Amino acid sequence: MSAPVAWFAADWGTTHLRLWALDAGGTVVWSRDSDEGMGKLAPGGAFETALVRLIGADMPAGPVPVIVCGMAGSRQGWAEAPYATTPCSPPGLDAATRVPTAGERLRVHLLPGVKQDTPADVMRGEETQIAGLIARDPEFDGVVCLPGTHTKWVRISAREIVSFQTFMTGELFDLLSRQSVLRHGIGDGWDAAAFEQAVSDTLARPATIAAQLFGIRSSGLVAGLAGDAARSRLSGLLIGAELAGARPYWLGQRIAILGAEGVGDAYEAALAAQGAQVERVDAAGLTLDGLRAAWSALKEDA
Amino acid sequence: MSAPVAWFAADWGTTHLRLWALDAGGTVVWSRDSDEGMGKLAPGGAFETALVRLIGADMPAGPVPVIVCGMAGSRQGWAEAPYATTPCSPPGLDAATRVPTAGERLRVHLLPGVKQDTPADVMRGEETQIAGLIARDPEFDGVVCLPGTHTKWVRISAREIVSFQTFMTGELFDLLSRQSVLRHGIGDGWDAAAFEQAVSDTLARPATIAAQLFGIRSSGLVAGLAGDAARSRLSGLLIGAELAGARPYWLGQRIAILGAEGVGDAYEAALAAQGAQVERVDAAGLTLDGLRAAWSALKEDA
């Protein structure tokens, strides 16, 4: 027989909800996924309905806390959890927004995202991964790269998010490979040499990015560029330009790359080619560790 | 009563077909548009069917030439008209591809596009606008900017296309303003000051383009950036980065901007802010003038 569920942790993003049920010691009793992300739900009560449905017959009898991070706390989400402002620690429960619920069995806390005023920037969800990283390694002092649709570079020191910068690299890759004129020549495979050459091209001359991108199409027509090389070159051009822009973040710094294998490998290869020392951090469980850190504070308060 | 139709001129692009019927002196007898662009037609005979349908009851009795420029001459078009290679004059009828037709009343000539081997680049249709420009001003020596989905910068000297470079700027603007996360904050209007600031930002630091783009979203969330300013900033960031990359084309050169008022105005403002001298060339009729130049050669041959 499993331990009783003492609280829930939720990573509620734009496209997915990941829910964990945990006992008082922070051990996972069960976990579930749903595709009822923020993008599918109207602001407000629809979130409670989706959460109650996902818990189903496993709803605990007594009122239990639910600690939520991610887009559910945005203006278009369950309720708005206003941003903390850099420099700041990853915000905990003291900064969370309590959402009233129709039922009495859940006490919902939405963790805030983090904003930066100058230059303007925002994150929602990544701050909880960072909380998990700091919980694992409280002395971490360096830069974290979180590759994704909107790749983030985050300076961390003394358990605080000092500053950060977001690049639309992943979204540009998706749009260009699927919906632009380049889609005609993009394959499925990978060509490491083409990737590295492309990184080097835009690192050296980032201003030519929009011309180099069209060059993928031209090289297909004129020089028979293969689909795998085209896809790898597209990725490399975008990452190379990003590394040129993010140089103040990574040059001479301790760098940890969080997350997804494929794109994480690409960032690691690109940075290594520039002589940068890179650590890889397994992102699995990092968000949950961040939510556990928030739960610990709640326990101490109780 | 109008003069008899001696030949047809066609600008056959991806999305549209523009057809002119002209008399032996090159005067337009009538003209018609169709949305049966290359993108809607299977390669081969479907093009003849579309053309015959558009001419309809106005089909001349005797066989007449049809001079076609644009994507109809691409591999996915009516038939492939192989590229001429830079440096070269805008290719004329001597380089055109004759396409066999089922009917006997049309003799179809597909004008080639132009390619560049290093760096790889291609154009189809723009070379005929340039032929029109050279027909109007044979001594033109300088750089032509053709803003559009794929903006082209073309060096012209001694009636030849010396070299050129294509930037995906227009397509990036369309994708980002309509299909990316930025679409939530993009308005319909124009804010000239926001545009100029953005041009200046990416001209100075083009490598940060992917971060500056996400900054439009962040500034909307954090600082209430207005929709019109967001749209103008998006355009300015992309054009500023392009100008940084295209600097070898325009710096210290005679520059002529061809075409579309709105985006042509934006390029003119951006270049003027850099102290560049810019001429505007009315692009209306330029393609037809280029097709007339090809027809003149046919007349002389006959």
Side-chain angles (χ1 to χ4, degrees):
Chain A
M1 188 190 143
S2 52
V5 170
W7 64 292
F8 291 102
D11 179 7
W12 207 325
T14 303
T15 57
H16 284 87
L17 159 61
R18 181 155 181 80
L19 181 72
W20 298 269
L22 304 105
D23 66 20
T27 300
V28 175
V29 181
W30 53 260
S31 69
R32 255 161 233 171
D33 287 324
S34 154
D35 62 0
E36 291 199 285
M38 182 203 69
K40 286 199 184 149
L41 300 170
F47 284 77
E48 183 179 350
T49 307
L51 183 58
V52 168
R53 182 163 47 227
L54 190 59
I55 297 173
D58 294 313
M59 179 67 74
V64 295
V66 185
I67 304 178
V68 182
C69 71
M71 294 303 287
S74 71
R75 210 171 295 171
Q76 293 81 35
W78 193 336
E80 186 171 9
Y83 296 106
T85 305
T86 57
C88 61
S89 299
L93 274 187
D94 54 333
T97 295
R98 275 279 279 122
V99 202
T101 46
E104 288 173 8
R105 297 193 182 176
L106 301 174
R107 288 177 309 194
V108 176
H109 305 260
L110 302 178
L111 290 175
V114 172
K115 74 173 162 70
Q116 179 173 271
D117 287 330
T118 312
D121 215 327
V122 291
M123 63 170 74
R124 254 192 211 282
E126 292 90 348
E127 75 294 327
T128 304
Q129 289 185 280
I130 292 166
L133 179 78
I134 293 173
R136 287 188 200 174
D137 180 3
E139 303 311 313
F140 184 90
D141 193 304
V143 171
V144 176
C145 173
L146 301 97
T149 303
H150 301 146
T151 296
K152 292 185 191 289
W153 293 82
V154 186
R155 276 196 198 96
I156 294 172
S157 187
R159 306 185 195 190
E160 287 200 335
I161 296 170
V162 179
S163 64
F164 65 104
Q165 189 166 28
T166 307
F167 292 77
M168 287 187 70
T169 305
E171 186 163 11
L172 284 167
F173 180 84
D174 288 341
L175 288 171
L176 288 166
S177 62
R178 293 178 193 171
Q179 305 198 49
S180 82
V181 68
L182 304 185
R183 71 185 185 279
H184 302 297
I186 298 288
D188 294 322
W190 194 248
D191 178 332
F195 173 78
E196 279 168 33
Q197 180 62 51
V199 169
S200 161
D201 288 348
T202 46
L203 247 170
R205 301 180 59 217
T208 60
I209 178 79
Q212 304 264 18
L213 291 173
F214 189 77
I216 294 173
R217 174 68 176 154
S218 304
S219 297
L221 292 169
V222 167
L225 183 72
D228 292 352
R231 176 165 175 265
S232 308
R233 184 161 176 81
L234 173 59
S235 174
L237 290 175
L238 293 169
I239 290 178
E242 175 182 330
L243 291 189
R247 199 176 259 121
Y249 271 82
W250 57 263
L251 196 65
Q253 300 297 313
R254 176 182 174 186
I255 309 163
I257 299 179
L258 259 60
E261 277 193 20
V263 67
D265 290 348
Y267 275 83
E268 182 177 1
L271 283 162
Q274 304 312 311
Q277 293 290 330
V278 177
E279 303 163 51
R280 294 292 290 277
V281 176
D282 183 3
L286 218 47
T287 296
L288 180 56
D289 281 354
L291 292 163
R292 280 194 182 107
W295 158 250
S296 304
L298 188 67
K299 270 203 304 184
E300 284 158 22
D301 284 357
Chain B
M1 188 189 141
S2 52
V5 170
W7 63 292
F8 291 101
D11 179 7
W12 208 323
T14 303
T15 57
H16 283 88
L17 159 61
R18 180 154 181 81
L19 181 72
W20 297 270
L22 304 106
D23 66 20
T27 300
V28 175
V29 181
W30 53 260
S31 70
R32 253 162 233 172
D33 287 324
S34 155
D35 62 1
E36 291 198 284
M38 182 203 68
K40 286 199 185 150
L41 300 170
F47 284 78
E48 183 179 349
T49 307
L51 183 60
V52 168
R53 181 163 47 227
L54 190 59
I55 297 173
D58 295 313
M59 180 66 76
V64 294
V66 185
I67 304 176
V68 181
C69 73
M71 294 302 287
S74 72
R75 210 172 294 173
Q76 293 80 34
W78 195 335
E80 185 171 8
Y83 296 106
T85 306
T86 57
C88 62
S89 300
L93 274 188
D94 53 333
T97 294
R98 276 280 279 122
V99 201
T101 46
E104 289 172 6
R105 296 192 183 177
L106 301 174
R107 287 177 311 193
V108 177
H109 305 260
L110 302 178
L111 290 176
V114 172
K115 73 174 162 69
Q116 180 174 270
D117 285 330
T118 311
D121 215 327
V122 290
M123 63 169 75
R124 258 193 208 280
E126 293 90 349
E127 75 295 327
T128 304
Q129 289 185 281
I130 291 166
L133 179 78
I134 293 174
R136 286 187 200 174
D137 180 3
E139 304 311 314
F140 183 91
D141 194 303
V143 170
V144 176
C145 173
L146 301 99
T149 303
H150 301 145
T151 296
K152 292 186 190 289
W153 292 82
V154 187
R155 278 197 196 96
I156 295 172
S157 186
R159 307 187 194 190
E160 286 200 335
I161 296 171
V162 178
S163 64
F164 65 103
Q165 191 167 26
T166 306
F167 291 76
M168 286 187 72
T169 306
E171 187 163 11
L172 284 167
F173 180 84
D174 288 342
L175 288 171
L176 288 166
S177 62
R178 293 178 193 171
Q179 304 198 51
S180 83
V181 69
L182 304 185
R183 70 185 186 280
H184 302 298
I186 298 287
D188 295 322
W190 194 248
D191 178 331
F195 172 78
E196 279 168 33
Q197 180 62 50
V199 169
S200 162
D201 288 348
T202 46
L203 246 170
R205 301 182 58 219
T208 60
I209 179 78
Q212 304 264 18
L213 291 172
F214 189 77
I216 293 174
R217 173 68 176 155
S218 304
S219 298
L221 291 169
V222 167
L225 183 72
D228 293 352
R231 176 166 175 265
S232 307
R233 183 160 177 83
L234 173 59
S235 173
L237 290 175
L238 293 169
I239 290 178
E242 176 182 329
L243 291 188
R247 199 177 257 122
Y249 270 82
W250 58 263
L251 195 66
Q253 301 295 314
R254 176 181 175 187
I255 310 164
I257 298 179
L258 259 61
E261 277 191 22
V263 67
D265 290 348
Y267 276 82
E268 183 178 2
L271 284 161
Q274 305 311 311
Q277 293 289 329
V278 177
E279 304 163 48
R280 293 293 290 276
V281 175
D282 182 3
L286 217 49
T287 296
L288 182 55
D289 282 355
L291 292 164
R292 279 193 183 107
W295 158 249
S296 303
L298 189 69
K299 271 203 306 187
E300 284 158 21
D301 285 356

